[in-house]
Structures are given as structure tokens and as C-alpha cells.
Amino acid sequence: IYITLSMLSAAWGADSAGTRFGVMTVIETEYREGFPIERHLLLEGEDILPDLKWRESLLFIAVMPTVSSDLVIVEDTNGSQCPALYYIINVSASSIKATPQFGSCSDDILISWWGDHLRIEMRSTNGWGKDTYLYDAENHVLYFDSELVRVTE
């Protein structure tokens, strides 16, 4: 796993992440046979994205500040067949928005700035080359190899 020096605040693999708007944590609320099956993402103790369905476990990868918001990169892990998918949580004073789940299943990522867009690169799904995702924080839009993935809600 790689990260560029442009990252100002790191959370790599942590179970909490500090933002300018409070501390983000993960709690597990429902268990089956001793294993957690329900997780919630909290900001200052409040469930912020109750409709998202997480997979195995959540790790905070990075907190990338912009002028008006903090971008929290969250890794949603799940076993060996597809070890990692990602979300970008955009936290500002007035809103909290999440991208759709994205990624190629690679847990080997590179995070950097590309102009005013957050750029995340990872090994391609087919194992050859790289997949590139760009996130436009101002407009809450995620692109995959220059194609619009979906406007975040």
C-alpha cells in the first residue's frame, strides 16, 4: 500500500479518523455466531450513513483535507477473493456525502492530488495495468478512467 507525501493527515488502517468536523469511528452493532454482521459509521457518535451496507470490516485509510471539507477514504474489506473496495466520505460543515462503492478489489492503492481532484490508482481487475479513479469533491462526482461513475447522493 502506498501513499503520497501530499497527504496531510493519515489514518492508514485505523479504527477512527480525525476530521476538522469531528472524529469518525466504526461500531459493530449486530453479531451472528460471534461475528459482526452489522456496522455503522459514526461522526462524533452519530450514525451518519445508516443506509450503506458494509461488508466485512471498515478501515480508515486517509483523511485528505480540501478548502471546505475533509475527504475520508474508507476501505471495506472482505476476504481473499476481493480483499478491498472503497468509499470516499466527503465531510463538511453542512453535509456528509459518500461515493458509491468502487475499486478493483486491490488493496494496493496510491492516493494523490491531480489538480483539484483526488486521484486513487490501483491494480486493474484483470491484473494488468492500473485502474484510476478521480473524485471531484466540489461537485461530489466520481470518475473511473475519465468516465462518470455516478453523482454521489
Side-chain angles (χ1 to χ4, degrees), residues 6-149:
S6 65
M7 186 167 74
L8 300 176
S9 177
W12 209 272
D15 58 4
S16 67
T19 74
R20 290 176 287 177
F21 309 98
V23 176
M24 197 174 285
T25 56
V26 175
I27 62 165
E28 297 166 341
T29 58
E30 189 175 325
Y31 293 82
R32 183 176 300 136
E33 297 177 11
F35 295 99
I37 59 169
E38 187 170 308
R39 290 161 190 78
H40 297 273
L41 195 59
L42 309 178
L43 182 65
E44 290 299 304
E46 188 173 325
D47 194 349
I48 56 173
L49 297 165
D51 296 332
L52 282 181
K53 300 299 179 212
W54 312 103
R55 297 183 321 152
E56 288 289 322
S57 64
L58 298 174
L59 298 174
F60 294 103
I61 300 300
V63 178
M64 306 289 285
T66 70
V67 172
S68 60
S69 66
D70 286 347
L71 307 180
V72 182
I73 294 92
V74 178
E75 181 181 289
D76 192 0
T77 63
N78 186 29
S80 60
Q81 287 200 358
C82 182
L85 293 172
Y86 300 90
Y87 292 90
I88 299 171
I89 313 297
N90 188 329
V91 183
S92 71
S94 60
S95 68
I96 299 169
K97 298 183 181 208
T99 63
Q101 187 179 61
F102 68 93
S104 65
C105 294
S106 176
D107 58 359
D108 182 14
I109 66 171
L110 174 66
I111 302 169
S112 61
W113 288 106
W114 189 67
D116 58 352
H117 289 70
L118 184 67
R119 179 181 178 145
I120 300 178
E121 293 178 299
M122 60 192 70
R123 272 182 284 137
S124 178
T125 305
N126 65 16
W128 300 97
K130 297 238 181 236
D131 287 349
T132 302
Y133 294 86
L134 293 176
Y135 178 66
D136 176 350
E138 184 176 330
N139 296 304
H140 309 294
V141 177
L142 180 67
Y143 298 92
F144 170 65
D145 288 338
S146 301
E147 297 291 325
L148 179 66
V149 172

